Amino acid sequence: EEEQKISKRLVAAAQGLSSPDLPAKDLQNDIQNSLSTADNSDSLAQPTEQTADQPASQSTDIQTKEAAESDVDAASREVIHAACRAIGSLSDSEFDIRFNPDVFSPGVMHPNPQGDQFRKQKQLVKDAAAFLVSHQIAGFVKDCLEHSITAIDGQSLCEALHDRGINMRYLGKVADMLAQYKPLEHIHRIAVSDMICRAAKHQFKVFMQGVEMLCLSAAVAHFLNCLLSAFSNPHPQLPEDFGLNMNKKKKNKKKSRHYPIANHVDREWASLSPPDMWANIKAEVKEYYDFDLNCDSSDSAVETYGLQKTSLLREICIKCGVQVLLREYNFDSKHRATFTEEDIINIFPIVKHVNPKATDAYHFFQSGQVKIQQGFLKEGFELINEALNLFNNVYGAMHAEIAACLRTLARLNYILGDPVEALNNQQKAVLMSERVLGIDHPNTITEYVHLALYCFANQQVSAALRLMYRARYLALIVFGEDHPEMALYDSNIGLILHGVGEIDLSLRFLDNALELNRKYHGGRSLKVALNHHLLARAFSCRGDFRAALMHERETYTIYKSQLGEQHEKTKDSSECLKHLTQQAVVLQRTMNEIYKSGSQATIPPLQISPPSASSVLELINVINGIVFLPLSQKDLDKLQHRHQLLGGAAESKVKEMQAIQPAGETSPRTVAMPTVATPTVATPTVAEGENSQADITDTDDIAAR
């Protein structure tokens, strides 16, 4: 830049022009200095020669800069080429990644299997598979350990894997990683069961190809007997008129066109035996999922992996489209087959398809859920309600997305203090889920639990108890007793029974819930502490203060170690422990006096207060993940004042940014400021001075806070 300025000055001095970079005084000095150095006529030519050489140097600088820029561009292009080669891009100039799903398929012919393009495609698929195994599957197992994933059956496990981009062919790898963690044995059990059912489905497709139409029911019953029955040598039951019909069709070929039965009956399906069936399943699981199945019969599978045959029957019927008769099946009989021809009711086609989505309604639904998670319940309620209207216009009256909207609206109604409307919306959600998804679907079981909660809030105790029994029965069919979700159902049933005075029956359910939570969440979990507290309440109502003290002491120990002595829950547990100790001391003193004196003194009545409906409802809310935080009017005023301060600061910041805007700009600049929203309170309108309630969160999270 300095050289260019000097060049301009010299040119201006030689030509007698005014320099744009210098004032007139500096220009005259330059002219005088340049004229004093000239002795003859050639003296004025020297600056001219210099100025003639100056553009050549300037062009050299420009060429140097262009060469440097070209070198930089070449280096950047080389970096991009190297990055594209490193990630296996199909293009050398941009990141073009396309996965070829048929690259390893043996039955697919490729145009140039030895070319560089095909080699890149294979390497890209290998890299994606390595990423799934090393990162995605490990992340899935981590989420399972944190209990952020709750798999109930094979379908829910499949959805959880697909949400993380994991294909079902990696189910064997997932099962191997799940087997390394004891608290995840329930998900490992579901994974093994799903692999067995999927392999059986593959065998079922081949099995049904050679079955005659008149023998469909007998063939399906024989297949299920080989898969699940303990009878070692099942034989298919052919229809009585099978041979007669075949003879008639041979005589009347014209009539036989209406019956798709072969003239030569192929009964290869009838020779299938249980050992052959399980040998094929083991080979299929090993080939398809790379998992070693250590069982050779249904009984050994139940013993080795803790499966239950009812769940296997449900899964295989759903995957193969088989409808069976509703009755009690004896799977353990070694003298007769479990299934007969009369047990097979119908067969339905199972077609894979992608459900179309109403994008606008789904966007409203997701936005409403985000608002709810942020605590803005009223805004979330409006968005969910708008999504419900759009879903009704697109899908009609019955759809799974509509059931999800109704369930969310019911929960919001309950949080906002309208249990009657919550009950109405939840009843619609239950009916729709039963009709659309099925009576034993995991979502339907969850709908029953929510409906039981809202029924109890509306003083419909018997209906709530029947709904919880129904949910528990369906859960037994789907996944059995050994599952962490069963602890939730047992805790709800135990609390409702405690509220109606059935203490002994309540203790059985609460004990089972404690054992399950201790097994899957650890002995120092806050869920275990809550279970100990519920048992302490139940034992104190029965008058067994020794057991009540033991459980409440465990509660206090867990709260003290996890939350600290100053936490509210720790203090409440300490007060409860003192009260139980006083009651136990009074009872023991009275008993000692009776034993010493031998008199007929009567024991004074114990100060045992039966649990109120409000206290039972509060504990049920805590168990189901609904925690109400009391906010006084003073706290609400503080929140509003803080919002006003934040809003004023944001406005002043915007004005300041607008003030320093350059004068040359005509359009205002967009300033990225954080959105400040009004805090909403999850409660109906209350009078001044009363306590309001807010927030919905998980039990462990609110305890940690």
Side-chain angles (χ1 to χ4, degrees), residues 243-254:
L244 181 61
N245 289 334
M246 288 300 301
N247 293 330
K248 288 182 179 180
K249 289 176 177 56
K250 287 181 179 179
K251 295 178 181 179
N252 191 357
K253 294 183 179 180
K254 184 177 180 180

Side-chain angles (χ1 to χ4, degrees), residues 6 13 54 92 103 184 186 212 225 290 457 494 611 620 651 693:
I6 294 173
Q54 189 63 29
D92 293 336
V103 71
L184 299 181
H186 62 289
E212 302 80 13
N225 284 325
D290 193 21
I620 292 178
E651 292 178 0
Q693 297 174 328

Side-chain angles (χ1 to χ4, degrees), residues 642-673:
R642 181 173 178 270
H643 163 65
Q644 293 175 358
L645 292 178
L646 291 175
E651 292 178 0
S652 63
K653 187 68 175 177
V654 172
K655 292 180 180 179
E656 180 182 353
M657 296 296 294
Q658 292 176 352
I660 63 176
Q661 177 180 346
E665 294 185 0
T666 57
S667 60
R669 288 182 177 181
T670 303
V671 183
M673 297 296 296

Side-chain angles (χ1 to χ4, degrees), residues 63-95:
Q63 292 176 359
T64 305
K65 290 182 180 179
E66 290 179 353
E69 290 177 356
S70 63
D71 293 339
V72 172
D73 293 341
S76 63
R77 284 194 296 269
E78 184 62 29
V79 170
I80 294 176
H81 292 339
C84 291
R85 288 193 300 268
I87 67 172
S89 175
L90 300 180
S91 175
D92 293 336
S93 60
E94 60 181 357
F95 293 156

Side-chain angles (χ1 to χ4, degrees), residues 34 54 69 76 112 140 219-220 339 350 352 384 411 478 501 568:
S34 61
Q54 189 63 29
E69 290 177 356
S76 63
N112 187 13
F140 172 79
V220 174
F339 299 93
I350 304 298
K352 289 185 178 181
I384 297 295
R411 196 172 183 87
V478 175
E568 182 181 358

Side-chain angles (χ1 to χ4, degrees), residues 354-393:
V354 178
N355 293 321
K357 284 188 177 182
T359 55
D360 293 338
Y362 190 69
H363 174 71
F364 275 110
F365 183 69
Q366 284 186 326
S367 301
Q369 287 183 329
V370 171
K371 286 291 184 182
I372 293 171
Q373 292 175 359
Q374 293 175 351
F376 307 114
L377 302 184
K378 292 184 179 179
E379 289 85 347
F381 184 86
E382 294 175 357
L383 289 171
I384 297 295
N385 202 8
E386 182 66 24
L388 178 62
N389 294 331
L390 291 176
F391 279 136
N392 281 321
N393 293 332

